[in-house]
Amino acid sequence: MARHRVIRAAFASVVATALGCGALAAPAAAQSLTDRFKSLFGGGRSEEPAEKPPAPAEGQSGETDVLCPPVAIRSGASTYAVGAPGKEPVGSDLRFQATITRTARECAVNGGEITARIGIQGRIIVGPAGAPPTVQVPLRIAVVQGGVSEKTIATKAYQTTVTMGESGSEPFTLVAEDLTYPAPSADVAENYIFYIGFDPQALKPEPKPKAVRRK
């Protein structure tokens, strides 16, 4: 029992050090973005909201801003925890836990189609059971029309690989650049939203097509 208390205390210390005083759900304002994240969404001051789109240039109507939905983390998909083989990811059996800490988005309107680029930044914390040398982070991005009954307009799964070091905490960044969907009409555009979250199902290989029997 004393050993387990020491392990839990050590893991809590790593989490607090990596994400700052227990701020698991808070934006990682103090963390530096990767070069790719900066080049896509700009390297402005860290206290500026990551999802804030640039102001339209003089003479532009700002239509792109209106048609670029906000980003939200899907309820129940904000963390991704993996346990030791055959074990639940809790206590001393936790291998690692990934958390989304920052997002950004950018949209381009071309005729009747929108191409969105979504940036996701997060952090992986090593658990008491120890993480593998590399971690596959499964994520899903969906364009959803909100309302009385939600309607999924487009959805796509993504993966990024993170090499784990000896610090017990590693950042990860994913920039999805190929999400396209039909531009919504003006009366429903404000109901659109980008939902992001971890999706462990994305790590499973797609089922093989069934062989067609020849007559």
Side-chain angles (χ1 to χ4, degrees), residues 147-162:
V148 178
S149 58
E150 288 188 348
K151 178 182 178 182
T152 300
I153 306 301
T155 181
K156 192 166 185 178
Y158 297 89
Q159 295 182 36
T160 185
T161 303
V162 180

Side-chain angles (χ1 to χ4, degrees), residues 196-210:
I196 65 172
F198 294 105
D199 181 12
Q201 297 298 318
L203 295 177
K204 296 182 179 180
E206 295 184 0
K208 295 181 179 180
K210 294 181 179 180

Side-chain angles (χ1 to χ4, degrees), residues 91-106:
S92 60
D93 292 323
L94 177 67
R95 297 201 72 186
F96 65 87
Q97 178 174 298
T99 306
I100 297 171
T101 56
R102 185 173 175 136
T103 65
R105 91 278 197 246
E106 184 178 83

Side-chain angles (χ1 to χ4, degrees), residues 4 16-17 23 26 36 48 58 77-78 81 85 92 95 98 107 109 112 118 133 139 148 153 179 183 204 207 213:
H4 286 178
T17 302
R36 190 179 184 196
E48 294 176 354
E58 185 176 353
S78 61
S92 60
R95 297 201 72 186
C107 301
V109 182
I118 311 295
L139 294 156
V148 178
I153 306 301
L179 187 65
K204 296 182 179 180
R213 291 184 179 180

Side-chain angles (χ1 to χ4, degrees), residues 121-191:
Q121 188 181 42
R123 185 161 288 274
I124 300 173
I125 307 297
V126 178
T134 60
V135 170
Q136 290 291 112
V137 181
L139 294 156
R140 180 169 293 277
I141 301 175
V143 185
V144 175
Q145 179 183 337
V148 178
S149 58
E150 288 188 348
K151 178 182 178 182
T152 300
I153 306 301
T155 181
K156 192 166 185 178
Y158 297 89
Q159 295 182 36
T160 185
T161 303
V162 180
T163 301
M164 303 303 295
E166 298 180 356
S167 65
S169 171
E170 294 293 336
F172 72 85
T173 297
L174 172 76
V175 179
E177 306 182 31
D178 58 352
L179 187 65
T180 60
Y181 59 97
S185 57
D187 58 330
V188 298
E190 64 179 12
N191 295 329

